[in-house]
Amino acid sequence: MILQFDENGSLIGSITSVGYPAPQETLDLALTTAASVEDVPPFEPRYWHRTEDGLKIRPRLALTTREKSESGGRLFVIEGIPAGAMVRVTGPDNGELEADGEAVELLFQQPGGYRVTVAAEPYQPQEFDVRVEAAHGTA
């Protein structure tokens, strides 16, 4: 969540439609209409966890993704997932798997929209949307 402040430090707006941490280009854009901005995690439980030292912001995994067409479907590859993390897929085909520390390759062949969620404690869950178009000449 990005909080926008005027030159007196008064809250003048917020942007809640971006994940935490916000991309630098989003912060730069928010500065065009405010004197200063703060990037803070939303108050949703998925951004917080309790440690011996109290309530802390969950760190974010440094995941990278890439997609390409393959075998009449869509190959979606996620790198940077630690061993033991759960990868869940919802959409026309559903499923989940436990990551082994290597890149996770998911091949989607049924047309439609998919949501891929990576969950690894104590990290923030991360979600990705994958769209698979119907092959030409098929319904």
Side-chain angles (χ1 to χ4, degrees):
M1 173 169 50
I2 299 172
L3 301 178
Q4 297 174 292
F5 300 92
D6 67 14
E7 47 283 331
N8 298 320
S10 297
L11 182 67
I12 58 171
S14 65
I15 302 170
T16 60
S17 60
V18 295
Y20 178 83
Q24 186 61 48
E25 56 270 9
T26 303
L27 294 171
D28 292 342
L29 182 61
L31 274 171
T32 63
T33 59
S36 66
V37 297
E38 291 289 331
D39 186 16
V40 298
F43 299 108
E44 297 174 38
R46 71 187 195 144
Y47 291 101
W48 300 91
H49 70 112
R50 184 165 298 284
T51 69
E52 295 172 355
D53 299 324
L55 198 59
K56 301 286 183 190
I57 298 170
R58 290 181 186 270
R60 188 170 171 94
L61 286 167
L63 302 179
T64 58
T65 64
R66 64 182 189 276
E67 295 181 55
K68 68 177 185 176
S69 295
E70 185 172 295
S71 303
R74 191 83 160 145
L75 180 65
F76 186 71
V77 180
I78 310 171
E79 295 179 289
I81 302 176
M86 295 304 296
V87 179
R88 290 182 185 86
V89 175
T90 55
D93 289 323
N94 298 303
E96 70 178 21
L97 61 93
E98 184 174 330
D100 61 6
E102 300 292 324
V104 171
E105 296 183 353
L106 303 169
L107 180 60
F108 300 104
Q109 294 184 306
Q110 294 294 324
Y114 294 85
R115 167 78 39 107
V116 178
T117 304
V118 177
E121 291 294 329
Y123 299 97
Q124 296 175 33
Q126 289 180 260
E127 296 177 332
F128 305 94
D129 292 317
V130 180
R131 183 91 192 140
V132 179
E133 300 299 327
H136 295 290
T138 61

